[in-house]
Amino acid sequence: TKFNPMDFSLLVTDEAHHSTADSYRKVIKYYQQNPNLKHLGVTATPDRTDEEALGQIYQSVAYEYDIREGIQDGWLVDVHWKPVYVKGLDYSNISIVAGELNKGQLAEELERHENLHQMAEPVIKETGDKKTLIFTISVVQAEKFAEILNRWKPDSTRWVCGETDEDERANIFNDYHLGRFQYLVNVGGATEGFDEPGIEYVVLGRPTKSRALCAQMIGRGTRT
């Protein structure tokens, strides 16, 4: 409200898949007091698990360019999948909430030490000495997974989450960029907007039913 909506003719929203959230709507509505305002939304993942339509905010799709086209045109690196079977994991009793797996139930399953050890072994075996980004569902899983990986390979791993102190996170990201450790385990700390071209492996240490979240996670490893 420090700004006069009439002073702005263009509003650009990055990560526009969030635009249907109340916090975003409030900002958009404020600037739309200017009847001549144009609003452009840009996002790599234009869908939501709750199926809230972005058409509530945007009238048309101006341009579309997906990951496959980016790979074909040489802007992104190709992706090679390696499925790993973890015997102890059982998702059969996990319920679905708003189109996504129940986070609390999922965390309980993925925080078990025996499951994390079974996940750690193939991670160490497959990645060699390559820079690796690991995604987890909870802070507890991230902390435990980092601890287990450091037992397998001393001083190889650090972890961050959304609550990590800003300065500490910046230092961790800088050390990761400089190759001072191999594995960065994160929960909500290195997804949207995280840019580290040196990443060669992405470990999806958590399942998701969200195509958007999956693309966000994989996308961290597609920088050339």
Side-chain angles (χ1 to χ4, degrees):
T1 55
K2 292 179 181 178
F3 300 105
N4 181 352
M6 301 303 167
D7 290 342
F8 297 89
S9 60
L10 175 66
L11 175 66
V12 180
T13 303
D14 193 14
E15 307 295 356
H17 51 283
H18 293 306
S19 295
T20 57
D22 290 342
S23 55
Y24 279 70
R25 286 177 187 261
K26 183 178 179 181
V27 175
I28 294 164
K29 186 177 179 182
Y30 177 77
Y31 285 99
Q32 283 179 336
Q33 292 178 87
N34 180 347
N36 297 316
L37 182 81
K38 300 290 186 184
H39 180 195
L40 172 69
V42 292
T43 174
T45 51
D47 54 349
R48 296 169 58 93
T49 51
D50 60 10
E51 297 186 352
E52 279 278 317
L54 297 182
Q56 299 172 78
I57 308 295
Y58 305 101
Q59 294 173 321
S60 64
V61 177
Y63 183 72
E64 206 167 350
Y65 190 80
D66 66 22
I67 288 178
R68 286 167 299 181
E69 290 174 296
I71 292 169
Q72 289 163 6
D73 293 345
W75 296 109
L76 301 173
V77 300
D78 203 356
V79 178
H80 299 275
W81 289 86
K82 175 73 177 183
V84 172
Y85 177 65
V86 179
K87 187 178 179 182
L89 288 177
D90 180 11
Y91 300 143
S92 61
N93 294 317
I94 294 173
S95 58
I96 308 298
V97 180
E100 179 59 295
L101 295 163
N102 183 292
K103 187 175 179 180
Q105 294 171 349
L106 194 56
E108 190 177 334
E109 187 70 24
L110 288 166
E111 288 166 6
R112 291 179 184 156
H113 269 284
E114 59 271 25
N115 288 338
L116 289 172
H117 276 286
Q118 283 193 54
M119 290 164 66
E121 185 174 3
V123 167
I124 296 288
K125 180 182 174 184
E126 292 293 335
T127 59
D129 294 320
K130 303 290 179 63
K131 183 175 287 190
T132 303
L133 180 64
I134 300 171
F135 289 94
T136 60
I137 189 65
S138 69
V139 172
V140 173
Q141 187 199 1
E143 192 172 10
K144 283 183 176 181
F145 204 11
E147 179 191 344
I148 289 168
L149 287 169
N150 277 323
R151 275 191 241 160
W152 282 77
K153 205 170 184 178
D155 301 319
S156 66
T157 313
R158 297 182 71 178
W159 68 276
V160 293
C161 68
E163 303 302 315
T164 302
D165 176 78
E166 198 172 321
D167 290 337
E168 183 184 358
R169 186 189 311 192
N171 288 332
I172 290 172
F173 284 168
N174 185 56
D175 286 348
Y176 186 57
H177 174 68
L178 294 174
R180 290 173 178 159
F181 63 95
Q182 180 182 357
Y183 300 108
L184 177 61
V185 184
N186 89 98
V187 50
T191 310
E192 289 180 353
F194 181 63
D195 185 13
E196 174 47 60
I199 293 168
E200 294 189 73
Y201 276 88
V202 175
V203 175
L204 305 186
R206 51 146 306 165
T208 179
K209 291 179 72 69
S210 167
R211 190 210 68 86
L213 177 57
C214 187
Q216 288 276 6
M217 292 190 289
I218 294 166
R220 299 315 98 194
T222 57
R223 303 289 202 275
T224 56

